[in-house]
Amino acid sequence: MASAVERGAVPGAVAVVADADSVLYLRAVGVADGRTGRPLATDAVFRIASQTKLATALLALTLVEDGVLDLAAPVRDVLPEFGSRGVLTGFAGRAPVLEQTRRTATVRDLLTHTSGLGYDTWHPGLRRFHETNRLPGLGSGLRHCLDAPLVAQPTESFHYGTSMDWLGLVLERLTGRSIDALLHERLFDPLGMRDTWCWIKDDAAALARTAAVHVRLADGGWLATDADYWSPGVRRPEFLPAGHCLYATAVNFLALQQLLLGGGQRGAVRMLPRDRVDALFTNGIGGLDVGRIPTADPAASAPMDLRGWKWSLGLLVNPIERAGLRSAWSAGWAGGFNTFYWVDRTRGVTAALYTATLPFYDPAVLDLYDRFERAVCAAHPVETDSNP
């Protein structure tokens, strides 16, 4: 990793490797803020963005287990306001053209991103809808920002989008509790995750440990910024998006990765039965494919090519093993500021790489992630039966 910093691939990075019980490797290199030269520490706080989706999926599965949440329930049965949206098929001048949905999205469709919801970052049509209708973005913190149309008919295709934000609203409506309270009460507190937050701006000590987001410049260098989930001036959001609101340290988020390795148990804490956890490592979208994900905002994200990958009830899964990389049917995901993790149950190992950079899916950062994954997999080969 040090060489990656020296050649400018990243301004800094934290890497962690663990088995179900212990941390096997933890290292930080580079700077947390290029403006001050503050070194990046292993207890640095990162905006983990869409890594939040794992926490929300686990929370949902605990509520399924308790009989509070039904995966087959139509979303509109819990949130009637969800059922009124159509499917964006194009524009007539500035006016959006919408068609009626042929079926209603279920809670399961939210978990598998087959609800038809999209993100304006990765869908040009939806980005145009936001611009022409002056619909605020997620950074506004306004509940109204979710009032966009679908971009596909439910269940007919995979579209990465705001499904988990809507799932958070479902969980709040069913329980009468905020997503912040639910995550802490049912996940973070039992697992001892004291360095994970949904809202950090009131915690000066945590802010002082937070890595600044560095933006890639045209010359290949990095510029440290004040970028955050929230637009400047947002004092407190109207809602916390359950798809991307968390801040955490690498070791703190590791508790969730180890929970997966342990089949729903970490240490003495049993959070879920094994079969519920198995659903996070299983193809949840059938014959559909995650596929190519174009960008509508190159400053925020490069395009993603995930052809051949599947999505479970909350994670990206690889049905085919690629040489030198994670085992088949491993699972993981990423955050929009180039943080990445995976859980390899075959090897009994989990690992993560944290940076604080934009755009997401930056080729140089991806190259570092690939090198890191190959090194981890080489150090932890799959055990084979040596008996004749």
Side-chain angles (χ1 to χ4, degrees), residues 11-12 31-35 211-216 222-225 227 356-359:
V31 296
D33 191 331
R35 294 167 293 195
V213 175
H214 294 72
V215 175
R216 176 78 75 181
W222 295 101
L223 175 67
T225 72
T357 56
L358 285 174

Side-chain angles (χ1 to χ4, degrees), residues 85-144:
R85 66 204 60 249
V87 179
L88 180 66
T89 60
F91 291 84
R94 292 176 56 87
V97 177
L98 304 175
E99 69 177 16
Q100 290 186 333
T101 54
R102 291 188 282 271
R103 66 175 299 278
T104 184
T106 65
V107 173
R108 180 183 293 275
D109 296 332
L110 296 179
L111 282 160
T112 59
H113 290 283
T114 56
S115 65
L117 292 163
Y119 274 132
D120 65 323
T121 298
W122 291 285
H123 194 281
L126 195 57
R127 187 164 189 83
R128 180 178 175 185
F129 180 91
H130 273 263
E131 293 171 350
T132 58
N133 290 271
R134 296 184 179 179
L135 185 66
L138 287 165
S140 69
L142 300 174
R143 165 62 184 77
H144 175 53

Side-chain angles (χ1 to χ4, degrees), residues 237-261:
E238 290 182 358
F239 83 110
L240 290 168
H244 71 276
C245 67
L246 290 181
Y247 304 77
T249 63
V251 171
N252 235 225
F253 188 83
L254 184 66
L256 299 184
Q257 298 168 241
Q258 291 178 311
L259 184 72
L260 298 183
L261 267 185

